[in-house]
Amino acid sequence: MKRTAATQYVVTRPLYSEEAFAEEHEKVYRQRKTILDHIKQYFTWDAKRAKNAALSLLPIIGWVKIYQIKQWLLGDIVSGISTGLVAVLQGLAYCLLASLPVRYGLFSAFFPVIIYFFLGTSRHISVGPFPVLCLMIGSVVTRLVPDGGLAMNITGLEGLTIDEQRVVVASSVTFLAGIIQLAMGVLQVGFVVMYLSDTLVSGFTTAAAIHILVSQLKFVLGLQVPGISGPLSIIYTLEIIFNKITSTNVCDVVIALVIMVVVFIVKELNDRYKSKLPVPIPIEVIMTVIACGVSYAFDFRARYGINTVGDIPEGYETPMAPNLHIIQLTAGDAVPMAIVGFAVAFSVAKVYSVKHDYTIDGNQELIAFGVSNIFGASFRSFAASTALSRSAVQESTGGKTQVAGLLSAIIVMIVTLSVGFLLDPLPTSVLGAVVIVNLKGMLMQFREVPYLWRRDKPDCVVWLGTCILSIFLGLDLGLAAGLGVELISVVLRTQFPRCSVLVNIKGTDIYKDRKDYTNIYDPEGVMIFRIPSPIFFANIEFFRTKLVEALGFNPLRVLRKRNKAVRRIRKLLKKGELQWTSTGFLNTSFKPIKESEDESNMEELDLPTDFKDLPARIDWNAELPVNLSVPPVEIHSLILDFAAVSFLDISALTGLKTLLRELIRVEVDVYIVACDCKYDSAGLQY
């Protein structure tokens, strides 16, 4: 809508330089803390700081004091039961991604939740298995313990079955990921997730969704496909699937298709009518129960040869110590697991904290997930984060605090201890179908590509690069490569910024890029040049090149030409071949003046033009003696807009001084505006 009128303001004040402003207005010089001061402060403790530290390490103390039993308890109970049922199903389903027996998915939906209840700062996320992490763990598991047995000699796994060996591998790498997260939290480096942009995470999770989809095809088709890890593993897996496609179990395919269609339709209805439904329909749980009953009644396992979940032993196993040999072998895999698990959980927690108006602490979240994974790994669970769909269930069904998470863990515990046998006839194709249908949100992120291409092409390149590299190199290498692409894009943005020449928009006091507008006022002899980035060692030459292009002349070349001309004029005057008159220089030799070939004392050409021994100062814009030509300088004042320059390093400062010196020597006045003045530790301006 076009505005018919706008409020106008008139601002009148003196024109200041930095020195004039400092003389008129006294500035307070603060004492800057040294590194030693910060260290002393960090290790200085008092009662108040000890209390704050305790509250920080145990956030449960903060929200339990304000817990409103009448208003919140019923919602937490309903949410806990609903989330617990979903957690059971997803624990079983996501465990297939980790290439582990399904019962260990129940462990991962129980132990980490208990620890997070006490240490976590988010009140709404549901802690437990996350498909991307499960797939990353599965990649490590199948690399160290392929279907044929141990790929290498690992101390401590002698005499164990393949499943037991895989559990030890998964638990050990989870333990190491937890140690990394805990160390990051203690060292207060939660800020590292800021280097994982939303674009990078979106591209990475989309690639993970494709990996997950391919990994579940063997369950949906009822094929025996060995687990493959490493670069191009997705290509090799698809090749094996296509070679075995004629062995597809039709019953598995039919079951999976029915489950996917029904679950997809009901989930769409849940989204469309979520404002009218008191609780989302737990369609995955309902279809799982139905599939279990039908499979048991018609004996699908014996009649059609389908794979089922099988016997789930009741109870928990004794704690175990991590395998140090495996930890040494998987150190490179644990780092991306730790970062991805925390980044996803923190992103989801941040969304709900903003929605419900409370704060979360990134460093405390690292500690919470680190301890959760360490504790869980001791009881044979694998790395935990949060699943978006499960957290949405916990929040949308009325969950207010982690009491809902604790109740969901109790539901998982009941299934583990007493009713797990009921899941014996459940076809694994049902779990595969549930996993695939829950990938919709991640796969639909492909719709972001056209938008990113229109609005921010470098971000689009980061998305596509991360996604493609993660698909073909694997999630661990893909994440590192995607981070490299992102950092390169940041470097290129700052190294090659969009510099511009600003001009006045007629009828206003606003200055914009000269290339973007037509109704402009460009004062003669004055140029305003803007650089929208820090100036540092990598872009100082780019800055110089762009400024020279905008000026239309190279100040150093002009200076050298002028000094050569002065040198030549001085010699001609001494020889009498040139004479100064009131109208200018006069050629008295009646011969054409040849340009000097004298290249001696080249260093003097870079010095300020010296007019001594000359009868008058040379006007470089006037006509010079024949054959003496100097590039014209049509600019007399250059204004550098440093409003967007956040810092200059030493290399840039040196290069900038050199450039300004050259401009001043060719009689161009330089003014730097909107410059952020810096002060050293003694309060001295520089």
Side-chain angles (χ1 to χ4, degrees), residues 89 92-93 96 102 216 288 309 426-436:
L89 180 59
L92 298 173
L96 298 178
V102 292
Q216 295 307 289
T288 300
V309 169
L426 178 64
T428 54
S429 56
V430 172
L431 299 178
V434 169
V435 171
I436 290 174

Side-chain angles (χ1 to χ4, degrees), residues 212-274:
I212 293 169
L213 176 63
V214 171
S215 71
Q216 295 307 289
L217 289 178
K218 63 181 180 181
F219 299 108
V220 171
L221 300 176
L223 301 175
Q224 296 295 324
V225 178
I228 302 175
S229 61
L232 301 180
S233 60
I234 192 171
I235 303 297
Y236 300 138
T237 301
L238 286 173
E239 181 184 9
I240 295 173
I241 290 174
F242 287 134
N243 289 336
K244 294 186 175 183
I245 198 71
T246 54
S247 304
T248 298
N249 190 312
V250 178
C251 183
D252 273 322
V253 174
V254 172
I255 292 172
L257 288 176
V258 171
I259 294 292
M260 283 191 284
V261 170
V262 174
V263 171
F264 179 80
I265 292 174
V266 176
K267 287 176 77 71
E268 288 295 308
L269 293 175
N270 279 339
D271 289 339
R272 180 169 297 183
Y273 300 105
K274 60 183 177 182

Side-chain angles (χ1 to χ4, degrees), residues 606-629:
D606 294 341
L607 297 177
T609 305
D610 185 6
F611 295 102
K612 69 179 181 179
D613 300 332
L614 293 180
R617 189 180 183 89
I618 299 175
D619 182 3
W620 298 110
N621 293 322
E623 185 178 355
L624 297 177
V626 183
N627 290 341
L628 289 179
S629 62

